Amino acid sequence: EDQVTQSPEALRLQEGESSSLNCSYTVSGLRGLFWYRQDPGKGPEFLFTLYSAGEEKEKERLKATLTKKESFLHITAPKPEDSATYLCAVFGNTGKLIFGQGTTLQVKP
Amino acid sequence: GAVVSQHPSRVICKSGTSVKIECRSLDFQATTMFWYRQFPKQSLMLMATSNEGSKATYEQGVEKDKFLINHASLTLSTLTVTSAHPEDSSFYICSARLGRGLTEAFFGQGTRLTVV
């Protein structure tokens, strides 16, 4: 059974304090790993897709990396507007997008 | 990214009535759409997968007769919550993929359903 576990559940940072979010996964035939951002009361907003181990992608202060067992979302010098819940999801041979529980990030000014 | 529009964003209904939620892909044709349910502070739980022109595939534990899904065209899927009860109150989100291969899934804005 495909499974995604994210840690930590919640993370509080000061503005400018860099950190990383973890996404550990087990999946039958990984076809893609996705990162989304979700603001309260809204649908997830697509951030990145990673397809194979060793791949990295960047967007502004965010950088996503992938290994065979986990993915990291690195946040460099975060700002308060980066506060949100970050969701990791895997897409495997089942054809379903399976989500982790999410990490709720709060960045204080 | 591609745009998925979900309507309504909020709805309040009385117990026993039915509510329809629409999900439209605005700038692409979505052969597959997904419906998720999200409880407060929890992740997205897949309810069903909807393919254009065929019956939806429901996840285990999801009642087909309560959550009716119709994917009538390549740009529209609907979820109807029939005979709604307070326990059906939740945040419902649809998602659409660009094609049958490995592509990103884009999400609607979500619908907050409250059954009173």
Side-chain angles (χ1 to χ4, degrees):
Chain A
E1 183 180 330
D2 296 351
Q3 202 164 12
V4 180
T5 303
Q6 291 186 246
S7 62
E9 190 174 312
L11 181 62
R12 288 185 178 182
L13 299 174
Q14 288 296 130
E15 184 172 1
E17 180 186 0
S18 301
S19 188
S20 296
L21 282 55
N22 177 265
C23 171
S24 297
Y25 65 89
T26 54
V27 64
S28 173
L30 179 70
R31 296 167 67 186
L33 183 142
F34 302 83
W35 282 98
Y36 290 87
R37 168 188 172 135
Q38 186 177 27
D39 292 298
K42 297 192 176 180
E45 175 190 342
F46 171 76
L47 293 175
F48 303 109
T49 308
L50 300 168
Y51 295 103
S52 58
E55 190 174 358
E56 299 182 353
K57 288 193 177 173
E58 286 188 69
K59 180 181 178 181
E60 296 180 355
R61 295 178 292 282
L62 300 176
K63 178 180 177 180
T65 62
L66 180 65
T67 71
K68 289 185 177 180
K69 293 184 179 181
E70 57 191 351
S71 176
F72 291 94
L73 184 65
H74 307 277
I75 302 178
T76 302
K79 298 182 178 181
E81 53 261 43
D82 294 323
S83 297
T85 295
Y86 291 85
L87 297 168
C88 171
V90 295
F91 184 80
N93 290 336
T94 62
K96 302 174 185 177
L97 195 59
I98 304 299
F99 282 83
Q101 297 297 102
T103 294
T104 299
L105 172 66
Q106 184 180 23
V107 182
K108 294 191 172 183
Chain B
V3 179
V4 177
S5 177
Q6 190 173 337
H7 178 80
S9 58
R10 289 179 177 270
V11 59
I12 301 173
C13 71
K14 292 183 177 180
S15 289
T17 62
S18 296
V19 173
K20 180 183 283 188
I21 302 170
E22 289 189 350
C23 180
R24 294 180 183 273
S25 55
L26 296 186
D27 52 359
F28 67 99
Q29 293 185 331
T31 52
T32 306
M33 288 187 173
F34 304 90
W35 287 95
Y36 291 84
R37 184 173 181 175
Q38 187 175 32
F39 291 101
K41 296 187 178 181
Q42 293 189 26
S43 191
L44 283 72
M45 300 300 296
L46 180 64
M47 297 175 65
T49 302
S50 165
N51 291 300
E52 185 266 338
S54 61
K55 291 184 178 181
T57 302
Y58 290 81
E59 294 300 300
Q60 192 171 9
V62 177
E63 297 178 59
K64 301 179 184 181
D65 295 332
K66 168 165 275 297
F67 299 101
L68 300 178
I69 292 173
N70 183 277
H71 195 156
S73 74
L74 286 171
T75 60
L76 174 65
S77 178
T78 60
L79 168 66
T80 301
V81 183
T82 63
S83 187
H85 291 285
E87 56 265 32
D88 298 325
S89 299
S90 190
F91 193 56
Y92 294 88
I93 311 174
C94 73
S95 168
R97 272 182 27 206
L98 291 170
R100 296 192 184 279
L102 175 58
T103 59
E104 292 86 354
F106 296 93
F107 287 80
Q109 306 95 313
T111 297
R112 171 70 61 193
L113 170 64
T114 303
V115 185
V116 297

